[in-house]
Amino acid sequence: MSMFRRRGDHYVATFAVDEVRVLRKVADEVVGLLTDGFDHGDPVVGRLFPDVYPDDDAGTAEFRRYTEGDLKTGKIDQAGAVLAALPDGDAGGEVRLDAEAAEAWLRALNDARLAMGVRLEIKDGTDLGEELDDAVAADPGSSRVFQLSVYAYLGYLQESLLNALID
């Protein structure tokens, strides 16, 4: 598994082919959600763009009118930063991030985890290991096992990059 390390002014990790594929898929899905699939009725969109004033629909609508476009663009750009930094084609390889790209990756990984967490019904008190064990026991080849594994992997990457930034 890849792990980010600081090398001078950059944060570097080496990704296997399968890791690159997963990260491309996740980033592409976030972009799709924020463009073609953008729907305020979708709980994932609600999690990524929460109501600022839960008890004031008019205030929330006004706030969205002024901020949502820029927020969407920022989230799309962050997912784009992940895609741009990944090795080309269908290969693994090294990813080198400067401080700005590393922060964009952190935000993109967070958005992806928030989105997946909603779809997987992960709550604050959810024990991810227990969830994964239960899913494996029910059906080891299920899409839930894969999705929970990806969710855990994204958390691992996020923590790895954050630790490299702090060091």
Side-chain angles (χ1 to χ4, degrees):
M1 266 197 193
S2 51
M3 181 173 207
F4 280 96
R5 304 228 185 268
R6 185 179 189 134
R7 278 200 209 140
D9 292 339
H10 287 87
Y11 306 92
V12 181
T14 301
F15 292 89
V17 173
D18 289 339
E19 291 173 302
V20 171
R21 286 182 188 139
V22 165
L23 289 171
R24 279 194 190 288
K25 177 97 170 114
V26 166
D28 283 339
E29 286 180 5
V30 169
V31 170
L33 175 73
L34 297 172
T35 54
D36 304 331
F38 195 77
D39 172 13
H40 283 287
D42 183 338
V44 172
V45 172
R47 182 71 173 102
L48 294 176
F49 297 90
D51 290 343
V52 186
Y53 308 109
D55 298 326
D56 180 3
D57 291 342
T60 293
E62 186 74 3
F63 183 82
R64 276 196 178 122
R65 187 170 72 117
Y66 289 108
T67 62
E68 190 170 82
D70 288 341
L71 289 173
K72 274 176 50 176
T73 299
K75 289 179 182 300
I76 292 166
D77 289 348
Q78 290 157 190
V82 170
L83 293 168
L86 290 170
D88 292 332
D90 197 21
E94 187 176 86
V95 168
R96 295 179 57 82
L97 307 173
D98 61 20
E100 184 179 338
E103 289 182 24
W105 266 61
L106 281 176
R107 289 188 299 271
L109 290 169
N110 189 61
D111 286 344
R113 289 189 80 236
L114 286 173
M116 288 188 78
V118 170
R119 294 282 191 248
L120 293 168
E121 298 179 0
I122 305 268
K123 308 291 183 216
D124 284 339
T126 300
D127 180 329
L128 190 55
E130 190 175 302
E131 278 293 312
L132 193 51
D133 288 346
D134 290 347
V136 168
D139 180 3
S142 72
S143 62
R144 182 161 179 84
V145 170
F146 177 74
Q147 292 167 347
L148 286 167
S149 298
V150 169
Y151 180 84
Y153 172 70
L154 294 176
Y156 165 80
L157 274 184
Q158 192 175 21
E159 182 178 358
S160 167
L161 182 52
L162 185 58
N163 286 336
L165 283 165
I166 292 170
D167 287 345

